[in-house]
Amino acid sequence: MDASSPPDGLLPPDTTVWLVTDGKAGDLAPCRGLAQALGPCAEERRIAPRPPFSWLAPRGPADPRERALAPPWPDLAIATGRRAVPALRAIKRRSGNETFTVFLRDPRIGTRAADLIWVPAHDRLRGANVVVTEAGPHPVSPARLAAARAHPDPRLSALPSPRIAVLVGGDSRHGHFSKADAARLLDGLERLSEGASLMITASRRTPAALRAALADLVRRRGGFAWDGSGGNPYLAMLALADTIVATGDSANMVVEACAAGVPVRLFEPANVYARHRTLFDALKRHGTVHAFDGRVEALRPKPLDMTLAIAQAVANAYMGHRHALARPGVP
């Protein structure tokens, strides 16, 4: 549960909200971001369907012994991830259609998967209940960035300017971060470090050799590389950066960087996931991201954050649903 929701949220504060995922960080982040923008505190329900139910998702039924799906049912359920589709449909049915359901990204079973669906513009799904934007919701809100700037992380605030946040991912089910990719990234960062302070955070997916090379770069050139000790400085890095370098293996990470209000340099591995490439092309056309080439030029920042717009669409649809339920004769 996240208690950092804003006091002036878009929904009544007593609205009960569930976030339904299988616990993957890449699925939790957009759900949390949307919930924070809506206002009420959300309860995270982690599903763990057993075979064969996990194999049959998204088209099959929910696991009847799924412990996360127990009443009382929420007013609003937000879900994402293939295995969450049957769970969301079960919540809708078991609540007697009273729970308003929202699914983030294409559920792969059409527009009837939820009351409201958000998809990025590069997905093909369209319909009367489908909200389409270039970028998706995320938890890097202006309020959280402002708080991080007001109380800066001492590990980072003492670094000389300009400060460059370096967000490094790695291998995923969509592609491998090759040795050639790592060498190209390190070469560019080596050049950047000559005139700037690097603030580096790596992922659990980052190859061990690349992680070690990043740590060595900071030892030689100065700066900061998070080694996993102390609090995670990810948000502080975004808040204090003059420029951000993000690797293109994670769409969530790039979208979060785009909300920070500073120029974003995108490092694209050779085998970028095709869906990510379509998103990145759109962000480049918008002027939000620029190709990483080992240089920091005076680029005009053009932030892009669609979280509030998506939250407003959800709030409008949810309130319409509640009003319809309150009318006599509505089942």
Side-chain angles (χ1 to χ4, degrees):
M1 183 180 296
D2 193 322
S4 63
S5 30
D8 55 346
L10 299 174
L11 295 181
D14 60 348
T15 306
T16 56
V17 181
W18 284 6
L19 308 184
V20 183
T21 73
D22 63 5
K24 293 187 182 69
D27 289 339
L28 273 172
C31 289
R32 286 171 174 169
L34 178 56
Q36 288 169 14
L38 289 168
C41 291
E43 181 180 346
E44 295 179 2
R45 293 286 177 119
R46 181 172 180 173
I47 57 167
R50 304 162 301 153
F53 303 100
S54 58
W55 302 337
L56 297 173
R59 298 186 180 280
D63 186 338
R65 292 169 57 186
E66 180 59 71
R67 294 182 179 180
L69 304 184
W73 305 110
D75 298 318
L76 171 64
I78 302 169
T80 193
R82 175 182 62 86
R83 296 199 292 179
V85 175
L88 193 66
R89 297 174 70 196
I91 292 169
K92 183 69 176 178
R93 184 177 64 256
R94 295 174 191 177
S95 71
N97 294 324
E98 290 201 2
T99 297
F100 187 80
T101 57
V102 176
F103 194 84
L104 304 180
R105 307 189 184 111
D106 188 344
R108 299 288 186 261
I109 61 168
T111 59
R112 299 181 67 181
D115 293 312
L116 193 72
I117 300 171
W118 168 82
V119 297
H122 58 265
D123 275 356
R124 295 181 179 178
L125 185 67
R126 297 293 185 272
N129 65 328
V130 179
V131 176
V132 182
T133 62
E134 291 289 359
H138 57 80
V140 181
S141 66
R144 296 185 69 203
L145 289 169
R149 293 182 183 116
H151 303 283
D153 190 320
R155 296 173 294 179
L156 307 176
S157 59
L159 296 174
S161 295
R163 292 185 288 252
I164 300 177
V166 182
L167 317 177
V168 182
D171 298 336
S172 72
R173 63 189 178 93
H174 298 305
H176 179 67
F177 208 98
S178 68
K179 291 182 179 179
D181 291 328
R184 186 162 53 92
L185 175 63
L186 288 166
D187 179 66
L189 293 178
E190 186 86 36
R191 284 180 279 138
L192 275 188
S193 67
E194 295 175 2
S197 298
L198 302 185
M199 307 179 295
I200 302 175
T201 182
S203 162
R204 287 174 294 181
R205 300 180 290 103
T206 306
L210 176 55
R211 186 187 295 270
L214 292 168
D216 178 67
L217 173 61
V218 167
R219 279 194 296 269
R220 291 185 292 104
R221 295 287 195 174
F224 174 85
W226 188 47
D227 60 5
S229 61
N232 189 334
Y234 178 76
L235 183 65
M237 288 183 176
L238 296 183
L240 298 177
D242 298 294
T243 301
I244 298 172
V245 175
T247 61
D249 52 276
S250 168
N252 280 350
M253 192 164 64
V254 174
V255 168
E256 289 169 359
C258 289
V262 299
V264 177
R265 290 285 192 174
L266 176 65
F267 175 85
E268 298 182 72
N271 59 346
V272 170
Y273 182 39
R275 289 180 180 271
H276 291 178
R277 191 178 299 282
T278 305
L279 167 64
F280 298 155
D281 288 345
L283 294 177
K284 289 174 185 175
R285 290 193 299 270
H286 185 267
T288 304
V289 304
H290 310 267
F292 174 68
D293 57 5
R295 297 180 298 168
V296 175
E297 299 173 344
L299 297 171
R300 182 179 179 181
K302 196 171 183 181
L304 179 66
D305 186 355
M306 301 304 300
T307 302
L308 187 57
I310 298 167
Q312 187 65 68
V314 171
N316 292 345
Y318 168 79
M319 295 307 295
H321 170 75
R322 300 309 299 179
H323 291 155
L325 289 178
R327 289 200 300 268
V330 175

